[in-house]
Amino acid sequence: MTVTFNPEKYKELLSNYQPKIIRNEDENEKYLAVVEELMHRCNRTPEEDELYELLITLIEKFEQEYYQPETTISSDSILRFLIEQRGLKPEELVNLIGSEQKANELINGKNSISKEEAIILAKFFHVDQSVFIN
């Protein structure tokens, strides 16, 4: 026996759950609960499968935009973070950078980190140099 997709049943499911673009955490949680329910349902109908896939697509879109924004972190923010994590004082970078003024400019974002400085800082902090290059 071949199971066929029933548009009327699908309309009824859409009417019951009213899927739409997810714009906040509450809506996301609501649809996650529906997905969980459908995921554990034995012998889902083709219409339930379609709703399941639709909700997963909506959830993935929301979570990509909400949890993984496409913003880049500035190199000076990364430098300040690494300094803080190591418990260092900005003055301790003077020997690496060459002057107190230059070190302060890099830390405060008033000057961009050059490729050479990125290499030096990367070796010092044991990170990839690309974290310092925007």
Side-chain angles (χ1 to χ4, degrees):
M1 179 173 116
T2 304
V3 180
T4 59
F5 184 85
N6 183 328
E8 291 304 314
K9 284 185 180 179
Y10 187 59
K11 279 186 207 176
E12 188 178 320
L13 281 173
L14 291 175
S15 178
N16 288 341
Y17 291 103
Q18 300 181 358
K20 62 184 182 70
I21 299 295
I22 301 170
R23 291 186 168 60
N24 60 52
E25 282 280 339
D26 289 339
E27 291 174 354
N28 192 48
E29 291 297 321
K30 172 185 160 189
Y31 291 133
L32 281 169
V34 174
V35 164
E36 177 122 7
E37 174 192 324
L38 289 169
M39 184 179 2
H40 295 295
R41 187 173 294 171
C42 295
N43 302 320
R44 280 193 313 249
T45 66
E47 301 80 25
E48 290 171 331
D49 282 339
E50 195 67 28
L51 177 63
Y52 177 78
E53 288 183 40
L54 174 62
L55 292 176
I56 287 175
T57 301
L58 293 171
I59 290 166
E60 285 175 348
K61 180 185 183 306
F62 171 77
E63 290 183 353
Q64 283 176 344
E65 292 173 5
Y66 189 81
Y67 296 115
Q68 301 168 357
E70 302 224 0
T71 57
T72 55
I73 300 171
S74 65
S75 55
D76 58 288
S77 294
I78 293 170
L79 182 56
R80 285 192 303 274
F81 173 78
L82 291 169
I83 289 170
E84 181 182 314
Q85 291 299 303
R86 283 261 185 107
L88 300 174
K89 294 182 178 135
E91 304 83 52
E92 295 178 71
L93 294 185
V94 172
N95 291 337
L96 292 173
I97 303 301
S99 77
E100 186 175 345
Q101 179 182 351
K102 181 69 175 169
N104 284 329
E105 288 174 354
L106 295 180
I107 292 167
N108 295 316
K110 294 185 178 169
N111 212 337
S112 60
I113 297 174
S114 71
K115 184 169 176 121
E116 294 79 26
E117 292 162 340
I119 292 168
I120 292 167
L121 291 168
K123 285 181 183 176
F124 180 76
F125 287 108
H126 305 287
V127 296
D128 190 272
Q129 70 188 33
S130 65
V131 301
F132 296 113
I133 300 171
N134 287 344

